[in-house]
């Protein structure tokens, strides 16, 4: 088994390990069908999870149990990226299309408002949506967000090129090991990452940083959770800019985390901070 068959086999294997009952639903949007994994407490506060590029909704396997205790969880495969969402409708040309797509997903799920939690590229989408439609976002959690408060590291982009241009399982694993400083602990997740080398390339939208005035005017309660060892960007610069541009946000740095180890590796501290934020009503932002 190779290519897409291996990828979706590994994808399904990770989802089977999620705790509790997980239901995959298809949400129709003008951009195509969007796959959403739904689980958690019936009637709980809705939280929409947006993954980083190339890792799908399956990436939340280490966090969903903690989140699902009190929330109704909606984990999304990003439109235009690998996974079970299919971009066979309108093309994605920029941030406006992504925000329109996410709004259509919320409509299809019958969510008038929700909390958003995104990682990396998913965090950028979540922030863009909160800036465009703040009344629909009760809380915003951004996990090591790229393209939001600091530019991406040229060294990181250079190291990523071999696994992007001519991907192999060995190259994908080597890049992950370089960024995190360790091997992936979970065998099913390691097999999934290996399998991503055999699927079509993602068509992610170019990430342009929001304007300073957009961030300053944002009143959505926000948590900016940075990885202290991130090689994707300068986490200290990102933290300083987030505090300066979003003074009402809570900014937390996990000193031992890296960009790719959030949210999958040693997630206890991440889950604790997220639960604290969500338990504060989405949460009550504080510096």
């Amino acid at each position: 088994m190779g290519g897409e068959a291996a990828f979706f086999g590994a994808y399904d294997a990770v989802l089977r390990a999620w705790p509790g009952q997980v239901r995959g639903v298809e949400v129709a949007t003008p951009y195509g069908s969007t796959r959403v994994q739904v689980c958690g407490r019936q009637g709980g506060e809705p939280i929409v999870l947006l993954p980083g590029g190339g890792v799908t909704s399956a990436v939340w396997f280490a966090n969903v149990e903690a989140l699902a205790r009190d929330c109704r969880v909606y984990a999304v495969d990003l439109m235009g990226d690998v996974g079970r969402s299919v971009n066979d409708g309108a093309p994605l040309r920029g941030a406006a299309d992504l925000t329109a797509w996410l709004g259509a997903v919320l409509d299809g799920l019958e969510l008038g408002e929700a909390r958003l939690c995104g990682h990396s590229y998913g965090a950028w989408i979540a922030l863009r949506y909160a800036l465009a439609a703040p009344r629909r976002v009760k809380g915003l959690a951004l996990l090591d967000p790229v393209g939001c408060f600091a530019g991406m590291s040229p060294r990181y982009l250079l190291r990523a090129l071999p696994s992007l241009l001519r991907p192999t399982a060995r190259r994908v694993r080597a890049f992950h090991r370089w960024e995190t400083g360790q091997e992936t602990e979970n065998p099913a997740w390691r097999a999934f990452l290996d399998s991503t080398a055999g699927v079509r390339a993602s068509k992610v939208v170019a990430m342009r940083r929001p304007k300073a005035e957009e961030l300053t005017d944002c009143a959505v309660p926000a948590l900016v959770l940075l990885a202290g060892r991130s090689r994707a960007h300068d986490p200290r610069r990102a933290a300083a800019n987030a505090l300066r541009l979003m003074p009402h946000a809570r900014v937390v740095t996990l000193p031992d985390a890296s960009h790719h180890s959030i949210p999958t590796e040693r997630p206890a501290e991440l889950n604790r901070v997220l639960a604290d934020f969500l338990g504060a009503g989405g949460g009550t932002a504080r510096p």
Side-chain angles (χ1 to χ4, degrees):
M1 182 172 65
E4 288 200 351
F7 171 79
F8 284 115
Y11 170 107
D12 291 338
V14 176
L15 287 175
R16 283 196 295 270
W18 281 27
Q21 293 185 336
V22 182
R23 180 169 58 96
V25 301
E26 307 296 335
V27 178
T29 77
Y31 298 88
S33 175
T34 300
R35 169 61 67 91
V36 183
Q37 320 296 346
V38 184
C39 63
R41 185 165 67 85
Q42 289 280 0
E45 285 286 342
I47 181 168
V48 176
L49 304 180
L50 302 173
V55 293
T56 77
S57 57
V59 74
W60 304 103
F61 67 89
N63 321 105
V64 68
E65 182 175 18
L67 295 173
R69 292 190 190 109
D70 297 311
C71 296
R72 189 65 169 169
V73 176
Y74 300 88
V76 179
D77 281 1
L78 300 179
M79 185 59 67
D81 201 0
V82 296
R84 295 196 185 277
S85 292
V86 181
N87 184 200
D88 58 0
L92 295 169
R93 296 189 179 93
D97 289 311
L98 279 172
T99 56
W101 160 73
L102 185 52
V105 172
L106 297 183
D107 290 342
L109 294 170
E110 299 183 346
L111 300 177
E113 58 182 8
R115 299 177 172 101
L116 302 181
C117 175
H119 170 233
S120 189
Y121 178 55
W124 178 80
I125 296 172
L127 177 59
R128 280 292 185 182
Y129 187 78
L131 297 177
R135 287 185 176 84
R136 299 193 71 175
V137 183
K138 291 187 68 175
L140 182 66
L142 308 175
L143 311 186
D144 211 45
V146 292
C148 298
F149 307 107
M152 293 191 72
S153 162
R155 186 183 180 203
Y156 174 86
L157 295 172
L158 186 63
R159 290 294 295 251
L161 276 179
S163 58
L164 293 174
L165 296 177
R166 298 186 64 183
T168 65
R170 183 175 181 177
R171 286 177 173 176
V172 169
R173 192 177 294 192
F175 177 62
H176 187 276
R177 185 169 56 248
W178 170 79
E179 201 284 324
T180 64
Q182 63 187 40
E183 294 288 348
T184 304
E185 294 179 350
N186 185 289
W189 186 242
R190 185 164 58 246
F192 172 83
L193 290 176
D194 288 350
S195 76
T196 61
V199 292
R200 60 180 173 81
S202 303
K203 296 181 180 178
V204 297
V205 169
M207 293 178 289
R208 292 182 171 84
R209 287 168 63 180
K211 295 179 181 178
E213 56 268 26
E214 293 180 286
L215 296 172
T216 303
D217 291 343
C218 182
V220 175
L223 168 69
V224 180
L225 192 62
L226 295 161
R229 294 193 298 108
S230 177
R231 291 188 166 188
H233 58 179
D234 183 337
R236 288 175 294 183
R237 179 178 295 176
N241 286 342
L243 285 168
R244 177 174 59 87
L245 296 171
M246 296 182 70
H248 300 296
R250 181 184 179 193
V251 179
V252 177
T253 297
L254 300 182
D256 296 326
S258 75
H259 185 72
H260 290 284
S261 71
I262 288 181
T264 60
E265 310 293 327
R266 301 176 185 175
E269 182 64 9
L270 167 64
N271 291 341
R272 185 194 67 75
V273 175
L274 278 177
D276 177 63
F277 175 73
L278 296 170
T284 301
R286 55 187 186 273

